[in-house]
Amino acid sequence: KPHHSLLSLAMEQACDDIERVRYVGRESFDPPPKVDSIVLKFSWKKDRDSHLEKQLLSLWKVAFAHPRKTLLSNMKWSTYDVANFRKIILELGYDERVRAEAVKKEDWERFL
């Protein structure tokens, strides 16, 4: 089951590769946090479609505005057509109570 955030989708859209460079344990910090860390290396795509990226970011900002609400609930307060969103959600095989975090990355372009 996918579990995305606005940040993870944006980075996957903009990057060819996201590589784990190094693990950093919590003991490396003072005061130590409650979690460990990872250093990441981002390799940006050379042929990025800035128009598509802007459209997707705009959509994702609305979709992830209230993460505990359903995707349709978040879209009610936007300029997007909620009836069309419901239709697309059902066509893609999701329950109409799906949250944005559960929508697969490759399905988002259908909503544009």
Side-chain angles (χ1 to χ4, degrees), residues 49-111:
D49 183 346
S50 63
H51 180 69
L52 175 62
E53 284 182 10
K54 286 178 185 176
Q55 287 182 307
L56 286 170
L57 280 173
S58 178
L59 171 61
W60 293 332
K61 285 178 183 179
V62 174
F64 286 92
H66 303 282
R68 300 301 301 156
K69 291 190 175 197
T70 66
L71 178 56
L72 285 177
S73 207
N74 281 334
M75 301 322 283
K76 285 180 187 176
W77 309 109
S78 73
T79 58
Y80 293 96
D81 180 3
V82 177
N84 189 46
F85 257 79
R86 179 178 280 110
K87 180 182 167 222
I88 295 169
I89 286 169
L90 297 175
E91 285 175 0
L92 290 170
Y94 296 105
D95 185 290
E96 71 176 45
R97 296 171 298 181
V98 69
R99 291 191 174 126
E101 67 187 27
V103 176
K104 296 176 189 170
K105 179 187 175 288
E106 57 271 13
D107 292 339
W108 281 105
E109 286 186 41
R110 285 280 310 272
F111 294 105

